[in-house]
Amino acid sequence: QVQLVESGGGLVQAGGSLRLSCAASGRTFSSYAMGWFRQAPGKEREFVAAIGWTGASTFYGDSVKGRFTISRDNGKNTVYLQMNSLKPEDTAVYYCAARNQRWGSKRWLDYDYWGQGTQVTVSS
């Protein structure tokens, strides 16, 4: 069982930056791939970024490529999402997810555990 708790969301102006954190419980965090997803009101859940178990493999959704960076610190059981050059369309609830596999996935159904989400609002 893995419990995930996101933090770092908030209100920021367009062009600004935020860093989200996701703290995981459990001693097996390093064996899980991790992902970030987001969901805006009235829209489907969207893949943002994923990272493999060692942190060497990362990939991103097209809408955030070049602006967001996912990373992990297995010693701290934490995964991060650095978000730069934020746009109003990045406004959403951001969710952290854990997958009991070594490699990440773009499909939210492939993830086994989810956090409660953190709100990110980007004003124009």
Side-chain angles (χ1 to χ4, degrees):
Q1 189 78 5
V2 176
Q3 292 184 325
L4 305 172
V5 179
E6 302 97 334
S7 61
L11 174 63
V12 64
Q13 287 189 333
S17 297
L18 279 176
R19 187 197 198 199
L20 305 183
S21 298
C22 173
S25 65
R27 294 177 293 175
T28 58
F29 173 76
S30 61
S31 65
Y32 284 78
M34 302 296 294
W36 286 97
F37 291 77
R38 67 187 183 186
Q39 190 164 19
K43 295 188 176 181
E44 293 187 354
R45 196 173 313 188
E46 178 187 8
F47 169 74
V48 175
I51 188 166
W53 65 305
T54 66
S57 170
T58 61
F59 52 97
Y60 299 88
D62 289 341
S63 61
V64 306
K65 206 171 291 184
R67 299 188 297 122
F68 291 11
T69 302
I70 188 172
S71 61
R72 67 189 297 163
D73 184 337
N74 286 342
K76 295 182 178 179
N77 280 15
T78 302
V79 63
Y80 304 97
L81 184 69
Q82 177 66 44
M83 305 185 296
N84 298 330
S85 302
L86 283 161
K87 305 175 181 180
E89 51 263 44
D90 294 319
T91 295
V93 177
Y94 283 70
Y95 297 92
C96 170
R99 181 181 190 218
N100 194 6
Q101 300 287 338
R102 292 187 173 185
W103 312 112
S105 170
K106 293 184 176 183
R107 301 191 331 144
W108 67 269
L109 287 171
D110 289 339
Y111 289 81
D112 303 293
Y113 304 100
W114 291 83
Q116 82 290 348
T118 185
Q119 176 71 46
V120 171
T121 303
V122 184
S123 63
S124 57

